[in-house]
Amino acid sequence: PKEPSGFLSAESIKIQKKVANAFVKRKKRSSPYEWYFEYYKSPMEQMHERCENYPPCDYLSDQVGFALAYNRFFG
């Protein structure tokens, strides 16, 4: 049903939950290890993110490699 202004009403946009679940499926975790690694990052991943968030370290890591750049700035 269209409103007088030509826009669709909110009720016409909603879809039923059963229909929505037919094409949007949540990935299920098969083991506790997958659940753990989904929420907690390894120390190496944390180091990479720290270097990526600091522009001089990120730039240097492209030039000489991550290990040397990280040690130079956060050593």
Side-chain angles (χ1 to χ4, degrees), residues 56-70:
C57 184
D58 190 33
Y59 176 77
L60 189 61
S61 70
D62 291 338
Q63 308 300 316
V64 298
F66 166 74
L68 292 173
Y70 188 86

Side-chain angles (χ1 to χ4, degrees), residues 13-56:
I13 296 173
K14 293 180 183 177
I15 60 174
Q16 295 177 350
K17 188 175 183 179
K18 190 164 105 177
V19 175
N21 287 336
F23 61 90
V24 178
K25 295 194 185 274
R26 184 175 160 259
K27 181 183 169 190
K28 294 184 179 178
R29 295 176 204 91
S30 61
S31 72
Y33 297 107
E34 289 181 19
W35 178 87
Y36 177 83
F37 288 117
E38 183 177 333
Y39 289 102
Y40 299 101
K41 296 177 183 167
S42 69
M44 184 60 78
E45 180 67 22
Q46 292 173 355
M47 290 167 56
H48 273 280
E49 288 184 358
R50 185 175 182 196
C51 188
E52 288 172 356
N53 290 332
Y54 186 59

